[in-house]
Amino acid sequence: MKNIIFCLFILIALKSNSTDWDLFPLEQRSYFSYPHFLAEQELNLYYGFSCFKWPKQSQLFYNKLIDSLGTIGDTTFYYSAESTLPFYFFTNAQVGQSWTITSDYWANDYNEIAITCDSIYQTSFLGITDSVKSFSMVPNGMSANQVPISNFRMILSKNYGIIEMVPFAMFLEHHPSIDFFSMQIVGLDNGAIQRGYSQPLFADYFKLSAGDILFWHYHRYPSNIQQPRIEENYRDTITAADFYADSVVYTYDRVIEHEDLSLSFQYGNHKYFRRADLELIVESAPDWFTFGTDHNLDSYISSYNPTYYWSTLEMLVGADSITGDTITTIRAITADNALDTVSCALGMTADIFREIIFNNKEGIISYCDYAWGDDCLELVGSRINGIQNGNISLDVDDMQISSLNELIIYPSPVSNIIKVSSRFNLINSDLEIYNCVGKLMKKSKLILPEISVSDLSAGIYFVKLNSTQGSYAGKFIKE
């Protein structure tokens, strides 16, 4: 199945309420398919705001020039840094009415494209039936071997905005090497009606539960060749997941496989995901700019860093190969552009570039820090709700892991009964349960693969099983 990549732009509407034939109705999110050069699809999201003005900019940011889109009366204007002349569109055009877009972009073979309203009729899209206007486009020249704009149409719905279009930037910048294409609507959400694709929210990206496993590959390639390179694997087992209105907290145990294949263990680690830090990033528009707190490799969210200027890039949408569920992946970057909220100034740190990738199945799946080298933590496998994706086994002898810490205990937190599981038969093993300060609380033989803990008080406990195959350890939380 093809993946879909999303890029999103924001419509800035300079009026207080919606009218018929708006290109982008206020407060409506409109998602469009977008052909991608990797034989995939991209989507663009246009979102109408009612009380916001973004003037034309010429500021270069990550090699992106900030363009602007505005509506005055029944005319929508698009300004691009590639041309001193704007694209504009008459939403109330009648059948037979035409206008011409002129561009002075230096690399174009021709400089004018005429837009004509050809017809008004009824059609259905996304399960909605509405009146639409159809517009044709004819250039005043041709570029050799270029797919021409005349192959496509602009179609505008009376109540739901544009449902098919050629990107506005292509009317101004149409280099001979660039083929024209059109985008079709694949989703919309105006609060009252939701059809087709809908973008995930913050809570959709952070929904792991106890027992889920994340398998990471970490590498560090310093820019200074005299410094050592590091390659490690981490396997994180979620032991608790706490969800709050303003944050999500995961508690997890980590097994680290070092380069020499030796193992080390970390227990009771925490990852904090704060809504205030991440909501604007994961819910933002692709190809747009937002603010959020900086991230680091240890805790993902750093509480002491200032607010940074992030740029969201493409959003990849596709079907999970196992469950068929829709998976949305979004990528964001920052160059440590710190925002001074007092002077409203944006500062940039040289030679620093950070990238973070999220999806709504596993949460953060990649974090790379390119500050004077390569420092990347990337998810290469997982087991979510019992469904495994990719490899989650460390590249060492499984017996070595099992003899150290491969005892699976669930549920956790627990009220009455815990169950224990291992790849080996542990029935008749010697069972010991210790509290968090190392005091032995229970000792017996493991007769069944479940243990009553109803007599224990609330807290954190450690289970140890001694068998002829070795010693096994695990942890659980008693409610």
Side-chain angles (χ1 to χ4, degrees):
M1 178 178 291
K2 286 187 176 180
N3 290 325
I4 303 173
I5 293 181
F6 285 81
C7 288
L8 178 154
F9 298 92
I10 301 295
L11 165 68
I12 309 307
L14 306 181
K15 52 187 178 182
S16 60
N17 49 50
S18 296
T19 59
D20 293 343
W21 305 110
D22 277 350
L23 285 179
F24 307 103
L26 299 182
E27 309 301 335
Q28 175 177 301
R29 287 177 173 261
S30 303
Y31 299 86
F32 295 86
S33 64
Y34 190 104
H36 188 248
F37 65 91
L38 294 177
E40 296 172 320
Q41 276 189 316
E42 288 191 11
L43 287 190
N44 282 52
L45 167 60
Y46 287 76
Y47 185 22
F49 284 92
S50 58
C51 300
F52 191 87
K53 180 179 179 181
W54 190 275
K56 181 180 178 182
Q57 303 287 315
S58 59
Q59 175 185 357
L60 187 64
F61 185 78
Y62 299 132
N63 297 320
K64 293 176 181 291
L65 286 157
I66 301 175
D67 302 331
S68 65
L69 186 68
T71 299
I72 301 176
D74 66 347
T75 306
T76 296
F77 294 89
Y78 171 81
Y79 291 90
S80 169
E82 305 299 347
S83 174
T84 62
L85 304 171
F87 165 88
Y88 59 98
F89 197 94
F90 293 129
T91 57
N92 286 338
Q94 300 301 307
V95 175
Q97 183 176 347
S98 298
W99 66 97
T100 300
I101 306 300
T102 303
S103 172
D104 55 10
Y105 179 59
W106 64 273
N108 293 343
D109 275 357
Y110 49 90
N111 63 351
E112 292 183 355
I113 298 174
I115 303 174
T116 302
C117 180
D118 288 336
S119 59
I120 301 177
Y121 57 94
Q122 274 203 336
T123 193
S124 296
F125 56 95
L126 300 178
I128 299 170
T129 300
D130 198 18
S131 296
V132 298
K133 294 179 181 179
S134 179
F135 299 82
S136 61
M137 297 154 289
V138 179
N140 69 339
M142 294 289 291
S143 294
N145 301 317
Q146 182 184 61
V147 175
I149 195 171
S150 55
N151 284 15
F152 308 99
R153 306 190 74 76
M154 306 277 271
I155 300 179
L156 175 62
S157 162
K158 180 178 181 181
N159 293 292
Y160 301 97
I162 199 157
I163 60 174
E164 182 175 346
M165 65 175 171
V166 172
F168 300 158
M170 301 192 81
F171 286 85
L172 302 176
E173 179 188 356
H174 37 85
H175 190 279
S177 64
I178 300 174
D179 287 336
F180 284 93
F181 58 85
S182 67
M183 306 185 300
Q184 289 78 38
I185 196 166
V186 295
L188 66 84
D189 186 352
N190 62 14
I193 295 177
Q194 191 278 315
R195 295 286 190 276
Y197 176 81
S198 183
Q199 188 174 356
L201 304 178
F202 169 81
D204 298 316
Y205 287 93
F206 303 102
K207 54 187 181 183
L208 298 180
S209 57
D212 289 343
I213 295 175
L214 302 177
F215 191 89
W216 305 88
H217 178 72
Y218 170 69
H219 73 256
R220 184 174 185 273
Y221 304 151
S223 56
N224 184 346
I225 61 173
Q226 295 180 335
Q227 295 179 350
R229 293 173 57 149
I230 299 173
E231 296 268 357
E232 294 180 333
N233 292 315
Y234 304 151
R235 183 166 63 186
D236 295 343
T237 300
I238 306 297
T239 57
D242 298 301
F243 302 92
Y244 306 97
D246 62 348
S247 60
V248 174
V249 181
Y250 295 142
T251 304
Y252 66 100
D253 295 337
R254 169 171 287 183
V255 183
I256 304 174
E257 179 195 50
H258 303 281
E259 288 185 289
D260 61 0
L261 299 186
S262 64
L263 301 179
S264 61
F265 301 87
Q266 298 174 351
Y267 301 103
N269 299 302
H270 298 284
K271 294 177 184 176
Y272 302 89
F273 303 100
R274 290 190 290 270
R275 183 182 295 273
D277 296 326
L278 292 173
E279 185 173 43
L280 288 177
I281 298 176
V282 298
E283 297 181 16
S284 181
D287 259 358
W288 193 243
F289 306 96
T290 189
F291 297 99
T293 302
D294 188 26
H295 295 67
N296 62 55
L297 285 172
D298 294 328
S299 64
Y300 292 101
I301 304 299
S302 172
S303 60
Y304 52 82
N305 282 323
T307 298
Y308 283 90
Y309 199 173
W310 287 83
S311 172
T312 54
L313 304 181
E314 72 272 7
M315 239 192 319
L316 177 66
V317 178
D320 187 286
S321 60
I322 299 174
T323 66
D325 295 337
T326 298
I327 302 297
T328 296
T329 303
I330 189 166
R331 184 163 65 106
I333 59 173
T334 183
D336 278 7
N337 300 71
L339 173 68
D340 185 335
T341 55
V342 176
S343 64
C344 201
L346 185 66
M348 179 178 287
T349 304
D351 300 324
I352 289 180
F353 170 71
R354 304 177 197 271
E355 175 188 74
I356 192 165
I357 304 176
F358 309 80
N359 75 26
N360 62 324
K361 178 182 179 181
E362 296 144 326
I364 289 179
I365 62 171
S366 176
Y367 175 84
C368 289
D369 187 342
Y370 301 104
W372 307 287
D374 244 11
D375 204 338
C376 285
L377 182 67
E378 297 174 296
L379 190 71
V380 294
S382 66
R383 187 166 70 204
I384 309 296
N385 294 325
I387 299 175
Q388 184 166 324
N389 179 37
N391 179 31
I392 61 172
S393 297
L394 294 170
D395 190 20
V396 292
D397 183 77
D398 284 337
M399 173 64 92
Q400 181 184 4
I401 300 171
S402 295
S403 63
L404 290 170
N405 190 42
E406 192 62 10
L407 185 63
I408 299 173
I409 300 176
Y410 62 97
S412 180
V414 63
S415 298
N416 298 311
I417 303 292
I418 59 170
K419 297 183 179 182
V420 294
S421 175
S422 172
R423 67 179 66 247
F424 299 105
N425 182 8
L426 298 179
I427 299 300
N428 294 320
S429 297
D430 293 325
L431 165 69
E432 297 172 348
I433 297 181
Y434 296 85
N435 66 11
C436 60
V437 296
K439 181 180 178 181
L440 180 63
M441 304 300 295
K442 186 186 286 281
K443 184 175 182 179
S444 66
K445 285 283 187 181
L446 184 68
I447 305 303
L448 296 172
E450 53 185 46
I451 306 164
S452 173
V453 294
S454 58
D455 56 333
L456 298 177
S457 58
I460 299 175
Y461 293 89
F462 297 89
V463 176
K464 184 178 180 182
L465 289 175
N466 297 312
S467 75
T468 56
Q469 288 126 345
S471 295
Y472 302 80
K475 184 179 71 172
F476 69 92
I477 299 172
K478 173 64 164 55
E479 292 181 320

